[in-house]
């Protein structure tokens, strides 16, 4: 009897497979590392076949570890790193090149070809996104231009494009399904998020043939099935597909307008549910995006803020400066430094969609500044950046967030939890037991499509949170700290070193 859901969460550095029961609890998970290559500075690539092998291994291991048999699986939910771009041969199934990671800038010169205000406005109006190499369209074009013969093959319909979800479903179905969902499609610069379809003008702008594009589904469906030869000798429905940050929104119980979550990882991703209305924004740090769409329903939209350098700053302290060996030690150092300081660390800034960049800087150094204080200030930087994003979103929406849901590896840091609440002046709710919120979200949607979970009200009951962490700073001190941060950022932006 089918009693469980299998969840594939394919991320930038690892693939995780989880099993969820009918109570919405993750009863087991297995993780497999995935490597990233850096052929040049700023270029990030991954082996698409290695990604698929990591999924196969993770699925097998999690079933063995939980003693769940394939016959007990009701359906599969998939969540994935977004924007990462793969192009492969329709007949052979072989990638024509390594997967181009979401964070790679190797197609920046192609994105820079979109120069006129009319073109940029067209893209922003239809997709909710700025023209940037971060998204998939310029990455696809780069592949077609760099790989000999690829452009002609694409025009002849011999090549297929997909983000990671599309690639995995192609493998799971042995090439029977070339599909994606609205959330992943919305991150390509080729999808009209209002009309919910691929857009001919956008394809023409990037000079891409429509034949390479997958069919777009809602985030839940009941029509896809794996190939029995791939999934342990039996066909299993694939009932949910959703990008990882959107899945985290669902898993964090941000299912109604005005709820907001932030995920602290290599970067930080803040997402604010705007309901069934897509709110346009011209602010470079914010994006309009699809949050999710269940089958037969109108989609839900969100405003998203992205901080490209967040947890990476902690990694810099750990690996480059050797301040500490483990994340737990960094938490100890942050809490050890209890003396109040006016120390601010501004990471290198690169606003998405603009040339507005700044070198990193440290402000407030004195002869007594120590390792603990610098560690503490680095954690505080993540909270300050999140505060900036939330303030920008609240200005657009006119809605004040009453609480912030938080997840991701860095969200386990208790100093960050408390300081984030302090600097926002609202409670924060870390993910329950630090479970993978993206996996929870994909599992909730898969279970809803399967019939295990009735509706969003049911999901809200499943997505339980731990006790809220309340702010402790006075309004006066909070404002003083925010003013100091804003002054530090402004000073960093003014620094323009000479080019040599």
């Amino acid at each position: 009897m089918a009693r469980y859901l299998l969840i594939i969460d394919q991320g930038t550095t690892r693939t995780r497979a989880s099993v969820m029961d009918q109570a919405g609890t993750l009863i087991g998970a297995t993780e497999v590392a995935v490597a990233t290559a850096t052929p040049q500075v700023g270029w990030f690539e991954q082996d698409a076949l290695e990604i698929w092998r990591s999924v196969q291994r993770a699925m097998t291991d999690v079933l063995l570890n939980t003693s769940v048999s394939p016959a007990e699986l009701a359906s599969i939910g998939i969540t994935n790193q977004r924007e990462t771009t793969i192009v492969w041969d329709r007949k052979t199934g072989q990638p024509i090149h390594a997967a181009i990671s979401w964070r790679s800038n190797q197609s920046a010169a192609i994105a820079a070809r979109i120069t006129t205000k009319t073109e940029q406005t067209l893209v922003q109006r239809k997709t909710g996104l700025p023209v940037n190499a971060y998204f998939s369209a310029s990455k696809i074009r780069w592949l077609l231009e760099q790989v000999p013969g690829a452009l002609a093959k694409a025009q002849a319909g011999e090549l297929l494009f997909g983000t990671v979800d599309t690639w995995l479903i192609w493998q799971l179905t042995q090439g029977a399904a070339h599909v994606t969902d609205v959330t992943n499609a919305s991150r390509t610069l080729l999808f009209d998020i209002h009309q919910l379809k691929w857009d001919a003008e956008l394809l023409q702008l990037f000079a891409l043939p429509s034949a390479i594009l997958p069919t777009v589904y809602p985030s839940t469906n009941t029509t896809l099935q794996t190939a029995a030869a791939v999934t342990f000798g039996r066909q299993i429905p694939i009932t949910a597909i959703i990008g990882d940050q959107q899945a985290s929104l669902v898993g964090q119980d941000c299912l109604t307008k005005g709820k907001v979550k932030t995920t602290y990882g290599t970067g930080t991703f803040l997402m604010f549910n705007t309901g069934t209305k897509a709110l346009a924004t011209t602010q470079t740090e914010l994006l309009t995006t699809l949050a999710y769409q269940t089958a037969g329903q109108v989609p839900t939209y969100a405003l998203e803020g992205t901080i490209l350098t967040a947890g990476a700053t902690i990694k810099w302290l750990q690996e480059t400066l050797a301040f500490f060996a483990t994340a737990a030690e960094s938490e100890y150092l942050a809490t050890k430094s209890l003396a109040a300081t006016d120390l601010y660390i501004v990471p290198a800034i690169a606003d998405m969609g603009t040339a507005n960049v700044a070198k990193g800087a440290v402000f407030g150094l004195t002869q007594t500044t120590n390792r603990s204080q610098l560690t503490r200030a680095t954690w505080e930087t993540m909270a300050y950046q999140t505060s900036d994003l939330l303030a920008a979103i609240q200005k657009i929406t006119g809605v004040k967030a009453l609480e912030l849901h938080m997840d991701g590896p860095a969200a386990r840091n208790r100093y960050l939890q408390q300081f984030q609440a302090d600097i926002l002046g609202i409670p924060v709710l870390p993910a329950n037991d630090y479970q993978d919120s993206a996996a929870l979200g994909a599992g909730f949607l898969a279970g809803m499509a399967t019939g295990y979970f009735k509706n969003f009200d049911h999901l809200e009951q499943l997505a339980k949170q731990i006790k809220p962490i309340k702010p402790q700073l006075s309004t006066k001190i909070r404002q003083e700290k925010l003013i100091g941060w804003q002054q530090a950022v402004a000073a960093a932006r003014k620094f323009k070193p000479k080019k040599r």
Side-chain angles (χ1 to χ4, degrees):
M1 177 183 177
R3 297 184 296 162
Y4 299 101
L5 305 167
L6 177 63
I7 305 149
I8 299 168
D9 179 3
Q10 205 298 301
T12 307
T13 60
R14 56 94 180 119
T15 295
R16 178 186 290 252
S18 307
V19 172
M20 177 180 282
D21 64 19
Q22 294 184 45
T25 301
L26 299 179
I27 65 169
T30 298
E31 192 168 293
V32 179
V34 177
T36 298
T38 53
Q40 296 184 31
V41 175
W43 291 27
F44 298 93
E45 298 181 349
Q46 295 183 293
D47 183 339
L49 292 173
E50 181 193 352
I51 289 174
W52 167 234
R53 288 193 294 268
S54 74
V55 170
Q56 291 176 295
R57 178 180 167 187
M59 288 192 302
T60 300
D61 288 354
V62 77
L63 294 185
L64 289 173
N65 293 343
T66 57
S67 298
V68 171
S69 73
E72 293 179 292
L73 295 177
S75 69
I76 294 174
I78 295 174
T79 184
N80 58 283
Q81 55 169 310
R82 306 171 303 170
E83 297 100 12
T84 293
T85 299
I86 305 168
V87 174
W88 65 94
D89 187 286
R90 183 189 292 270
K91 290 183 179 179
T92 67
Q94 292 297 305
I96 66 169
H97 189 277
I100 309 300
S101 173
W102 59 271
R103 54 182 176 151
S104 186
N105 66 7
Q106 63 207 80
S107 62
I110 293 175
R113 296 174 190 171
I114 314 299
T115 57
T116 71
K117 185 66 174 176
T118 300
E119 291 172 333
Q120 292 171 348
T121 300
L122 173 72
V123 173
Q124 186 105 30
R125 176 171 56 83
K126 290 190 173 187
T127 70
L129 310 173
V131 177
N132 193 280
Y134 179 89
F135 306 108
S136 303
S138 65
K139 300 180 193 294
I140 303 170
R141 186 66 200 181
W142 186 90
L143 287 169
L144 298 187
E145 291 183 5
Q146 294 299 315
V147 178
L151 183 57
K153 291 184 70 175
Q155 291 170 337
E158 297 173 15
L159 298 182
L160 300 176
F161 150 72
T163 43
V164 170
D165 59 306
T166 303
W167 170 245
L168 295 183
I169 294 169
W170 173 268
Q171 298 292 343
L172 286 165
T173 62
Q174 290 192 321
H178 181 221
V179 304
T180 188
D181 90 302
V182 292
T183 66
N184 283 290
S186 75
R187 312 294 293 195
T188 61
L189 292 182
L190 301 172
F191 189 75
D192 187 323
I193 64 172
H194 311 285
Q195 300 296 320
L196 301 182
K197 64 180 183 180
W198 300 116
D199 186 84
E201 284 186 291
L202 297 174
L203 283 163
Q204 183 177 15
L205 190 61
F206 287 95
L208 295 173
S210 61
I212 65 172
L213 298 174
T215 301
V216 182
Y217 279 62
S219 304
T220 63
N221 71 87
T222 56
T223 62
L224 296 171
Q225 284 198 328
T226 67
V230 177
T231 48
F232 320 109
R234 63 179 294 262
Q235 289 186 305
I236 303 172
I238 303 171
T239 55
I241 315 164
I242 187 168
D244 55 5
Q245 298 308 318
Q246 286 91 336
S248 173
L249 189 80
V250 176
Q252 283 270 53
D253 184 29
C254 296
L255 298 168
T256 54
K257 182 178 178 180
K259 285 197 171 185
V260 57
K261 72 90 189 177
T262 187
T263 297
Y264 305 86
T266 302
T268 292
F269 301 88
L270 185 145
M271 193 169 283
F272 188 103
N273 188 323
T274 62
T276 57
K277 185 176 182 180
L279 296 181
T281 174
T282 58
Q283 296 193 45
T284 57
E285 70 270 32
L286 299 179
L287 313 171
T288 305
T289 194
L290 278 155
Y292 51 84
Q293 182 192 21
T294 55
Q297 302 298 315
V298 297
T300 294
Y301 294 88
L303 284 173
E304 180 176 336
T306 302
I307 302 164
L308 298 180
T309 305
T313 313
I314 300 295
K315 190 175 182 180
W316 167 69
L317 286 186
Q318 180 178 347
E319 298 184 357
T320 304
L321 299 186
F323 269 28
F324 43 80
T326 65
E329 187 181 350
S330 75
E331 181 178 319
Y332 168 75
L333 287 172
T335 54
K336 178 182 176 183
S337 176
L338 297 178
T341 61
D342 294 320
L343 188 63
Y344 296 94
I345 296 179
V346 181
I349 298 169
D351 289 344
M352 191 173 292
T354 76
N356 193 7
V357 299
K359 297 288 187 180
V362 182
F363 296 93
L365 281 173
T366 69
Q367 288 181 325
T368 61
T369 300
N370 58 37
R371 183 169 61 119
S372 295
Q373 291 169 338
L374 285 167
T375 301
R376 178 179 178 179
T378 304
W379 281 110
E380 290 176 353
T381 292
M382 297 171 68
Y384 283 127
Q385 291 176 297
T386 298
S387 175
D388 288 346
L389 289 178
L390 186 55
I393 287 175
Q394 290 178 151
K395 185 176 181 180
I396 291 173
T397 62
V399 177
K400 179 173 173 53
L402 299 179
E403 60 190 20
L404 175 74
H405 299 249
M406 59 191 295
D407 69 345
R412 302 185 181 195
N413 185 288
R414 287 169 291 182
Y415 183 78
L416 176 62
Q417 293 172 3
Q418 185 60 61
F419 190 77
Q420 187 69 84
D422 288 342
I423 213 64
L424 290 176
I426 59 175
V428 300
L429 295 90
N432 185 40
D433 296 330
Y434 308 115
Q435 291 194 90
D436 188 330
S437 294
L440 285 174
F444 289 164
L445 291 177
M448 197 161 71
T450 305
Y452 283 177
F453 312 134
K454 298 176 183 177
N455 48 38
F456 281 127
D457 289 338
H458 191 175
L459 295 188
E460 288 179 348
Q461 296 171 19
L462 297 174
K464 299 180 179 69
Q465 300 288 329
I466 65 173
K467 184 179 179 181
I469 296 170
K470 297 180 181 180
Q472 296 177 352
L473 282 185
S474 68
T475 301
K476 179 177 181 294
I477 295 177
R478 179 183 306 117
Q479 291 304 317
E480 288 174 352
K481 286 184 172 292
L482 285 170
I483 289 170
W485 164 254
Q486 290 155 6
Q487 290 173 339
V489 172
R493 288 190 184 278
K494 287 181 180 179
F495 175 63
K496 303 293 182 184
K498 288 185 179 179
K499 294 183 179 180
R500 291 182 174 85

